[in-house]
Amino acid sequence: MATRILLVEDEPKVSAFIRRGLEEEGYEVEVAYDGTFGRRLVLSQAYDLLILDVILPGQSGLEVLKALRAQDQELPVLMLTALGTTQDKLLGFDGGADDYLVKPFDFVELLARVRALTRRRGRRSAKGSSLSLADLTVDTAAKTVVRAGQPIKLTAREFNLLELLLRHQGRVLSRSEIAEHTWEESFDTGSNVIDVYVNYLRNKVDKGFDKKLIHTVVGMGYVLREE
């Protein structure tokens, strides 16, 4: 199966050049010409790499990156942009980018970085995508949840919340931290939506089991751990 790449680039000549070159190397490339459509694609479909411009119509590349990292911490992202100062690069890396290539660039260098990022993605997948605690197991690639041999069906947001808690098991996460990583849209810190979703998750993950894994730390937040 060909490696799938999403290219979000609004300059037609640049996107055509990159797409043609990558397809000649055997990659499958889909192009979005604005940030809004690019975000919709990357959040709804499976890709092996995202190549993302920063200055885009609709939404900026940094906004797309933020939305992606709230939902998917694993997909490699190569920022491709004319903004090449150290501060620009730091903004990209701090936002969750894996690599940063400044325009103009040689295609050979772009290809080398694409190969490196997709190889790293393959190694991560080969090592397994399983997270577990006690008798709870989550496969982040297959998006499946099993507890004590019983499959548990979760909505996408419930799954993202559980994955976040599992990746930080043993550490108390505040409501603001949960909101930042799980809710991509503007979040009203005065609302009780986090508590509501934690209760949804409890009813599916803990209800009916003797050992409770999701715990409330009063005044601080929530934590996934064994008692």
Side-chain angles (χ1 to χ4, degrees):
M1 184 180 294
T3 299
R4 294 193 73 212
I5 296 174
L6 175 61
L7 170 63
V8 187
E9 166 62 65
D10 65 317
E11 296 181 40
K13 289 184 179 179
V14 175
S15 60
F17 166 69
I18 295 172
R19 182 176 195 169
R20 183 171 58 251
L22 290 176
E23 287 181 339
E24 287 176 357
E25 294 294 325
Y27 295 99
E28 181 182 327
V29 183
E30 188 166 0
V31 179
Y33 296 97
D34 65 77
T36 304
F37 185 51
R39 169 175 165 162
R40 188 179 309 138
L41 285 177
V42 79
L43 294 182
S44 63
Q45 299 188 35
Y47 298 97
D48 299 294
L49 175 67
L50 172 63
I51 301 177
L52 183 63
D53 195 2
V54 173
I55 301 175
L56 292 165
Q59 291 186 332
S60 72
L62 292 175
E63 289 175 305
V64 175
L65 179 60
K66 181 179 179 181
L68 172 65
R69 287 302 181 231
Q71 178 172 308
D72 183 346
Q73 295 295 323
E74 300 296 326
L75 182 66
V77 178
L78 170 61
M79 304 296 285
L80 189 64
T81 178
L83 301 175
T85 69
T86 300
Q87 184 60 33
D88 291 323
K89 293 179 182 179
L90 286 174
L91 283 173
F93 287 127
D94 288 346
D98 297 277
D99 203 352
Y100 204 109
L101 186 58
V102 178
K103 300 174 183 178
F105 57 87
D106 290 328
F107 181 77
V108 173
E109 183 178 3
L110 171 67
L111 183 59
R113 299 197 185 203
V114 166
R115 285 173 173 162
L117 288 170
T118 53
R119 276 200 305 268
R120 194 184 311 165
R121 166 79 159 182
R123 285 198 298 268
R124 276 203 295 255
S125 298
K127 288 180 181 177
S129 53
S130 180
L131 300 170
S132 61
L133 175 66
D135 55 358
L136 174 68
T137 302
V138 172
D139 187 321
T140 59
K143 303 296 184 185
T144 57
V145 180
V146 177
R147 182 158 188 195
Q150 299 180 29
I152 298 171
K153 290 186 178 181
L154 300 180
T155 66
R157 182 150 286 173
E158 289 165 352
F159 186 92
N160 292 340
L161 175 56
L162 179 59
E163 182 181 350
L164 177 68
L165 291 169
L166 261 174
R167 289 190 182 280
H168 297 86
Q169 57 185 268
R171 183 167 81 82
V172 178
L173 296 177
S174 68
R175 288 169 178 79
S176 61
E177 285 179 293
I178 292 172
E180 180 182 349
H181 288 89
T182 311
W183 268 256
E184 62 201 54
E185 65 267 12
S186 299
F187 179 75
D188 179 5
T189 55
S191 77
N192 68 338
V193 68
I194 299 293
D195 309 275
V196 169
Y197 270 87
V198 169
N199 283 331
Y200 288 161
L201 199 57
R202 272 197 176 115
N203 286 333
K204 295 182 178 182
V205 171
D206 277 345
K207 191 174 182 179
F209 296 94
D210 293 333
K211 186 180 293 184
K212 307 305 178 188
L213 299 178
I214 302 172
H215 304 277
T216 303
V217 181
V218 178
M220 297 179 66
Y222 296 100
V223 60
L224 193 74
R225 68 184 175 209
E226 291 186 80
E227 286 291 70

